[in-house]
């Protein structure tokens, strides 16, 4: 948990990626809650979808751009890059990918103590 000391520190590529990945998951949560209020009650209110839909859409696009830039800067292989992009589609997939990327040594200083070579063997 040493990598979580200051979540709002955006001083590196890996830290910016982590921030956007978590932000994308939170906007997913807001959108899902808005959809629940719209569709579950008989006389649903769609204000939540009207608010969180565009917010989530914007953060989604930013996440895709940051994922590509991070992949280039940190020299991810094609598999990791595609997984990062696909992770944006299911709810909370970006957080799951970020945890996997950190554990396998793909997020530079945010990764665990293992070296990148050890992490590739384990993945």
């Amino acid at each position: 948990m040493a990598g979580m000391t200051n979540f709002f520190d955006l001083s590196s590529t890996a830290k910016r990626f982590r921030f956007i990945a978590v932000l994308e998951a939170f906007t997913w949560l807001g959108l899902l809650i808005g959809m629940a209020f719209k569709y579950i009650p008989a006389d649903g209110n769609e204000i939540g979808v009207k608010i969180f839909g565009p917010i989530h859409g914007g953060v989604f696009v930013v996440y895709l751009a940051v994922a590509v830039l991070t992949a280039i800067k940190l020299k991810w292989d094609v598999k990791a890059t595609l997984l990062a992009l696909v992770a944006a589609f299911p709810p909370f997939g970006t957080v799951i990918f970020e945890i996997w990327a950190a554990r396998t040594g793909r997020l530079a200083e945010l990764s665990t103590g293992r070296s990148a070579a050890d992490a590739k063997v384990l993945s």
Side-chain angles (χ1 to χ4, degrees), residues 20-121:
I20 295 299
V22 172
L23 183 62
E24 200 272 347
F26 274 116
T27 62
W28 247 123
L29 178 63
L31 184 58
L32 291 173
I33 292 170
M35 289 170 47
F37 279 105
K38 179 178 179 180
Y39 294 113
I40 292 177
D43 57 341
N45 185 347
E46 61 183 60
I47 190 71
V49 175
K50 286 184 177 182
I51 292 171
F52 281 102
I55 293 171
H56 174 69
V59 174
F60 172 83
V61 171
V62 169
Y63 171 81
L64 293 177
V66 168
V68 169
L69 293 173
T70 302
I72 292 167
K73 181 109 178 186
L74 298 181
K75 296 179 173 66
W76 288 350
D77 57 359
V78 174
K79 172 188 165 188
T81 304
L82 290 177
L83 283 174
L85 296 175
V86 169
F89 291 94
F92 314 112
T94 56
V95 172
I96 294 168
F97 174 80
E98 187 277 329
I99 291 168
W100 174 81
R103 287 185 181 169
T104 57
R106 289 173 172 85
L107 279 181
E109 74 275 4
L110 298 180
S111 294
T112 59
R114 281 185 250 158
S115 68
D118 293 340
K120 286 190 180 225
V121 170

